[in-house]
Amino acid sequence: MNEIATQALAEKLKTGFAQGEFVKDGRVIAERTLAEKLDVGRRALRKALDELEAEGLIWRRQGQGTFVGTPPTPRLRKLEGLATKTSPFEIMEVRQEIEPSMARFAALRASQGDIDAMRSMVEKAASATTQLEYEKWDAAFHQRLAESVKNTLFLAVFEAVNAVRREAAWARLRESSHSDTLIHELSTQHRDIINAIEQRDPKRAEDAMRRHLAEVEHALKQN
């Protein structure tokens, strides 16, 4: 399915969800049923859902399904307190501990569907024309990688870190630190991570993620 068709399907889903179609009690109906109703293939449907997830209009939970709206923030009150006390470099310390490990597990556990979705997100980030658009697809890639590990506790820790990042007063610092040259370099690193995962090379995936996060931290320090 080409980019235009994917966007058209995403818009159709967005309109349907807003009108309460294809949804029951906040949960999107089963993927197979939804594909049949829309007369599209499941791969095409997943690409369109990836678009909506990156826009924050839906969220997915492994083993539970797809939901309309934003995901619940874990233990919001405590995280709000952390957001006022945490620096971007403290966040990077935590990310550098957990995300390389997740990349290693992803090389062992990610499905081909996960890999295809991550690769699509990486390419959308690489072709982004604004820093905001890059941030959207970069976040979607890291989220999908975390989900591909298929470990509920790992995912909860990852989402807690992300919640602090979103709430913190310095959150916009990430965008101002991303020049076109840096986005190109980070996108190359994203591809290295994906290639290692697809080739089922845990060590290379872990090392590639570690290099990537070190570059992100360096950019923050330069800003």
Side-chain angles (χ1 to χ4, degrees), residues 12-218:
K12 187 172 184 178
L13 286 167
K14 188 186 300 184
T15 300
F17 293 158
Q19 296 173 350
E21 295 184 68
F22 317 129
V23 179
K24 184 177 181 181
D25 298 327
R27 181 183 300 189
V28 178
I29 60 176
E31 191 176 278
R32 184 186 300 277
T33 304
L34 182 57
E36 290 173 355
K37 284 182 176 290
L38 295 169
D39 193 27
V40 297
R42 294 180 69 178
R43 181 169 181 156
L45 177 61
R46 289 190 191 109
K47 285 186 175 182
L49 290 172
D50 286 342
E51 293 273 348
L52 299 187
E53 185 176 22
E55 292 179 27
L57 300 176
I58 63 171
W59 58 282
R60 291 149 161 166
R61 176 66 78 240
Q62 187 75 30
Q64 296 181 27
T66 300
F67 300 84
V68 174
T70 56
T73 302
R75 305 186 70 175
L76 181 60
R77 289 182 183 175
K78 288 194 175 182
L79 292 178
E80 285 176 342
L82 283 174
T84 64
K85 302 172 184 176
T86 303
S87 74
F89 305 109
E90 289 176 327
I91 289 286
M92 289 309 305
E93 280 187 355
V94 177
R95 291 189 68 191
Q96 288 175 28
E97 288 300 316
I98 64 171
E99 292 192 50
S101 294
M102 288 195 296
R104 182 177 73 248
F105 283 117
L108 299 170
R109 300 175 183 173
S111 68
Q112 190 58 50
D114 291 326
I115 293 168
D116 290 344
M118 286 188 281
R119 191 175 292 282
S120 174
M121 292 164 181
V122 163
E123 293 310 317
K124 288 179 185 297
S127 61
T129 56
T130 66
Q131 292 184 0
L132 185 62
E133 186 181 4
Y134 172 82
E135 279 284 315
K136 178 180 81 172
W137 289 110
D138 172 70
F141 161 66
H142 285 274
Q143 176 74 31
R144 188 58 181 261
L145 189 151
E147 292 170 355
S148 77
V149 173
K150 300 173 176 60
N151 180 305
T152 305
L153 189 54
F154 249 140
L155 183 59
V157 173
F158 173 84
E159 290 181 342
V161 172
N162 263 357
V164 174
R165 290 174 74 211
R166 287 193 299 269
E167 294 293 328
W170 42 261
R172 305 305 291 181
L173 175 64
R174 297 192 307 275
E175 290 179 21
S176 62
S177 68
H178 284 28
S179 65
D180 290 344
T181 301
L182 179 61
I183 287 175
H184 175 77
E185 178 61 28
L186 296 178
S187 296
T188 298
Q189 293 168 0
H190 281 160
R191 293 187 186 103
D192 290 342
I193 296 166
I194 288 291
N195 290 340
I197 291 172
E198 188 161 37
Q199 292 165 19
R200 306 301 180 185
D201 189 330
K203 180 64 165 58
R204 190 154 66 90
E206 179 177 9
D207 290 345
M209 179 63 82
R210 201 175 300 282
R211 285 193 298 272
H212 173 61
L213 294 175
E215 184 69 28
V216 173
E217 181 180 41
H218 178 72

